[in-house]
Amino acid sequence: MVMDTLYRDAASVPEKEVASSFSFSGDLIRDALKNIYSKKFHPMTDIEENMFDAVWKTLDLATDKGFGARPADDPDRDFIREIKRNNAVFAAFKVHRAQNDMARLLLDKNGNLKPFEKWVEEVMPIADHQMIDWLRTEYDTAVIRAHRAADWRQFEREKDVLPNLEWVPSTSVHPGEDHRIFWGTIRPIDDSFWNEHRPGDRWNCKCRLRSTDKPVTDIPGGGKEFDPAPGLENNPGSDAKLFSDNHPYQKEAYPGAKEAVDKLMKRIDEMIREMPDNLTDDEKTAIARNNLEIEKVLQITKGKPMSVDEADKQNANPKYTDMYIPDPNGMYFNRLTGERLSKNPDYDERFSNNCQTCAPAYALRLRGFDVAAKGRTQGSKLDYLSRGHAFEVWMNMDRTPAEHTSINSWLMAKGYQKMTPKRYMEFFDEVCKEVGVYELCIGWKHGSGHATILQRFTNGELRYIEPQHDNSKGSSEEWKDVKYLCDSGAANSHNCRGIMRIDNKLFNVDFLEIFDK
């Protein structure tokens, strides 16, 4: 195969220090195989999203490692974002090839679908080869090429002082001979020589450049044997592509690949473009991936982001009903309003104690997912969340469990003994300082607890939004605001009580069963 030949020399390199950060889950591959085997997935026109997400993430990790730690005012911020977008394109073409190489073995010689386990046994060597062996080579080279791109960007900024570049010999223990002819070559940074040859145009090449004001040297001679390897002909420091469009994944793509990749990238670009500016570039990218994952599990398509009113006004929990309704002949009396009340025949307790799903339902509705909270039933995942685990539905951008700011830890840091209405307001203002959506788990004075939403808007307003029922203007609950939370909060709390910003988090799809769609 072309790819085996292309990567053969790189794969045989004995030192693998770059690849130490590389990993790819076997469980993930098996999930991808289940998707390819499914009749709901077409390998020619779709991109398998488990493998795509993992490959894209792997290349982005390589990019971050190659560029290293960056300052907050990084001049290459937009450039790195462009590289990561191009990483997604490369990942999609790679996955399209892999899924079709495996899908062609789905049928037996009589045209019948093979049993899943038999097919998995046949294609697992292909999956391991392409998604582990080949991807390891791509990761290693992506780290190096990202580092070279970072160097090139710096060379461009310094060329008025250091106008020339010098080819520095490889640091490899066993350097290839194909670049030895260029070692020590010095040419101006704008010289056309660098368009034809440069460190990093071989798989796992460990040569590098350095800027200098030393005089230029002659250009070494050389024939076709010194040409860049396919896929590495470009300068990633100029075009923001770690791999060129001439890579076999793209140049020799299977039928339908470009259309499938274009469709996927259009969807991702659209989702990133519609996200609010209070999210970072990396957060937007990770959330777009998470959106694709949610769509696949729920089998729905995300719509346009919803306004606060569309997400709120009881839309997150439409089956909620009040326990009592006005009735002039009712046996109950509301001392606050002077009304007589009777039991509501439509009241369903399951939807009045399901706040742990109403809060994330509101957050996902803001993203554009038309979901609603299920009622709480004993033994369900919602029941589990209600027992002090509400924040477990959220993950950080790297998919590690997200941690809330607990009321108790805040009290300890402040040197306070207990919460008061004034201290609750102080807590909310400090922890919810950034513009965003926050989930609050609070204990009430009377002993029970509640999960709800605080949202900081761009005008500085901090609003209490109750997704369990309608608390908008004109509703029966509109009198509840942030002050109500402060006045009603318990003086002492369990460690599970606290606040977490959630609009910049990923939703753990293992908990998607808590929603109706």
Side-chain angles (χ1 to χ4, degrees):
M1 278 183 83
V2 173
M3 291 302 304
D4 283 321
T5 302
L6 184 63
Y7 289 173
R8 182 183 57 220
D9 293 338
S12 66
V13 175
E15 65 263 38
K16 284 292 181 182
E17 70 278 5
V18 175
S20 60
S21 300
F22 174 86
S23 64
F24 201 94
S25 165
D27 290 340
L28 186 148
I29 290 179
R30 191 171 179 85
D31 288 343
L33 295 181
K34 290 178 182 177
N35 199 17
I36 295 171
Y37 192 82
S38 167
K39 294 181 180 179
K40 299 174 183 177
F41 175 81
H42 197 298
M44 181 176 291
T45 58
D46 299 317
I47 302 295
E48 204 293 311
E49 290 174 5
N50 291 288
M51 290 192 295
F52 166 72
D53 183 68
V55 173
W56 185 12
K57 190 181 303 177
T58 298
L59 296 177
D60 281 359
L61 287 171
T63 301
D64 290 337
K65 186 168 184 178
F67 269 84
R70 313 297 290 183
D73 58 347
D74 183 10
D76 292 329
R77 174 183 169 183
D78 291 342
F79 183 77
I80 294 172
R81 181 174 63 233
E82 188 177 354
I83 284 183
K84 291 184 175 181
R85 200 265 182 194
N86 289 325
N87 286 347
V89 174
F90 182 86
F93 274 105
K94 174 183 175 70
V95 169
H96 190 271
R97 170 184 284 265
Q99 69 192 27
N100 278 280
D101 284 345
M102 292 183 279
R104 64 183 174 83
L105 300 178
L106 281 168
L107 305 181
D108 62 20
K109 62 182 180 181
N110 297 318
N112 298 317
L113 183 66
K114 297 174 183 175
F116 177 71
E117 292 300 335
K118 177 176 174 55
W119 175 71
V120 168
E121 183 179 352
E122 292 179 0
V123 301
M124 192 58 77
I126 298 175
D128 287 346
H129 199 51
Q130 298 196 25
M131 290 296 149
I132 295 179
D133 296 339
W134 289 1
L135 184 57
R136 184 180 299 278
T137 296
E138 289 153 2
Y139 173 87
D140 288 351
T141 301
V143 172
I144 294 168
R145 299 262 291 176
H147 196 169
R148 300 295 169 263
D151 288 345
W152 189 270
R153 302 285 292 180
Q154 189 64 27
F155 297 154
E156 289 278 7
R157 287 190 284 269
E158 296 175 346
K159 66 181 181 180
D160 57 332
V161 178
L162 299 171
N164 301 327
L165 299 179
E166 179 179 2
W167 194 308
V168 180
S170 172
T171 59
S172 176
V173 177
H174 303 281
E177 293 299 314
D178 46 8
H179 276 170
R180 190 180 295 272
I181 190 175
F182 302 121
W183 293 357
T185 299
I186 301 174
R187 303 298 299 173
I189 189 172
D190 297 322
D191 194 281
S192 61
F193 170 76
W194 302 119
N195 296 329
E196 301 171 7
H197 306 283
R198 76 198 63 80
D201 66 9
R202 288 287 189 277
W203 294 93
N204 269 338
C205 166
K206 294 181 176 63
C207 298
R208 66 182 181 87
L209 294 173
R210 65 182 170 208
S211 55
T212 181
D213 58 0
K214 292 193 292 188
V216 300
T217 63
D218 292 336
I219 297 176
K224 295 289 290 182
E225 68 271 22
F226 298 107
D227 285 351
L232 304 179
E233 307 91 338
N234 64 312
N235 180 351
S238 299
D239 66 5
K241 295 179 180 180
L242 299 183
F243 308 105
S244 77
D245 296 341
N246 198 42
H247 191 285
Y249 290 154
Q250 291 172 257
K251 188 175 181 181
E252 301 170 17
Y254 292 161
K258 186 178 186 307
E259 293 76 11
V261 173
D262 287 347
K263 180 176 69 174
L264 176 62
M265 293 311 302
K266 180 180 179 182
R267 185 86 181 97
I268 292 171
D269 290 342
E270 179 184 67
M271 286 193 290
I272 291 175
R273 191 165 48 245
E274 66 191 15
M275 290 184 202
D277 292 336
N278 63 315
L279 299 174
T280 67
D281 295 336
D282 286 344
E283 288 170 345
K284 290 179 180 180
T285 300
I287 291 170
R289 291 174 178 156
N290 189 218
N291 287 345
L292 293 174
E293 190 180 14
I294 293 170
E295 285 184 333
K296 180 180 62 183
V297 175
L298 288 181
Q299 297 183 21
I300 62 175
T301 299
K302 188 187 83 66
K304 291 291 184 183
M306 296 186 188
S307 67
V308 172
D309 282 349
E310 290 169 331
D312 187 27
K313 292 193 173 180
Q314 203 183 313
N315 293 315
N317 193 33
K319 295 181 181 179
Y320 170 88
T321 54
D322 292 326
M323 183 182 294
Y324 301 99
I325 55 176
D327 180 355
N329 299 315
M331 61 182 295
Y332 302 99
F333 182 72
N334 187 332
R335 293 181 180 180
L336 293 176
T337 64
E339 287 182 299
R340 298 206 68 82
L341 307 169
S342 63
K343 277 282 187 71
N344 187 346
D346 296 325
Y347 175 70
D348 188 335
E349 185 181 2
R350 295 175 303 166
F351 295 93
S352 65
N353 61 4
N354 64 342
C355 58
Q356 287 81 9
T357 187
C358 297
Y362 172 80
L364 292 191
R365 291 181 65 80
L366 287 177
R367 286 198 201 178
F369 288 101
D370 191 7
V371 295
K374 282 185 178 177
R376 178 179 168 185
T377 56
Q378 188 173 3
S380 67
K381 285 196 174 178
L382 173 54
D383 189 42
Y384 167 80
L385 293 174
S386 71
R387 302 181 188 280
H389 304 284
F391 292 115
E392 290 184 23
V393 302
W394 301 108
M395 302 182 295
N396 298 316
M397 294 298 115
D398 61 0
R399 307 187 78 83
T400 56
E403 296 289 336
H404 66 285
T405 301
S406 76
I407 293 174
N408 287 344
S409 65
W410 183 83
L411 278 171
M412 185 178 298
K414 289 288 186 179
Y416 297 151
Q417 296 299 311
K418 62 181 182 179
M419 295 297 283
T420 64
K422 183 178 179 181
R423 287 172 183 171
Y424 267 110
M425 186 62 78
E426 182 184 0
F427 176 58
F428 297 156
D429 280 336
E430 285 188 11
V431 180
C432 306
K433 187 179 298 184
E434 297 177 340
V435 172
V437 181
Y438 297 81
E439 183 166 341
L440 164 68
C441 287
I442 189 171
W444 299 128
K445 286 180 178 178
H446 56 70
S448 65
H450 188 53
T452 190
I453 294 291
L454 289 171
Q455 187 163 350
R456 178 76 70 180
F457 293 87
T458 53
N459 65 358
E461 177 191 8
L462 182 65
R463 190 189 306 173
Y464 167 32
I465 294 174
E466 180 50 71
Q468 194 170 28
H469 51 71
D470 187 2
N471 66 337
S472 60
K473 187 175 182 179
S475 73
S476 62
E477 303 288 344
E478 71 172 277
W479 57 273
K480 292 186 177 180
D481 56 16
V482 177
K483 186 177 183 302
Y484 168 82
L485 295 172
C486 297
D487 292 339
S488 305
N492 301 105
S493 298
H494 299 293
N495 286 328
C496 63
R497 311 295 188 199
I499 293 176
M500 178 191 292
R501 183 177 168 192
I502 59 175
D503 63 307
N504 63 347
K505 300 292 188 297
L506 308 182
F507 188 85
N508 185 342
V509 296
D510 291 342
F511 288 96
L512 282 174
E513 66 186 63
I514 68 176
F515 300 125
D516 279 326
K517 56 181 180 177

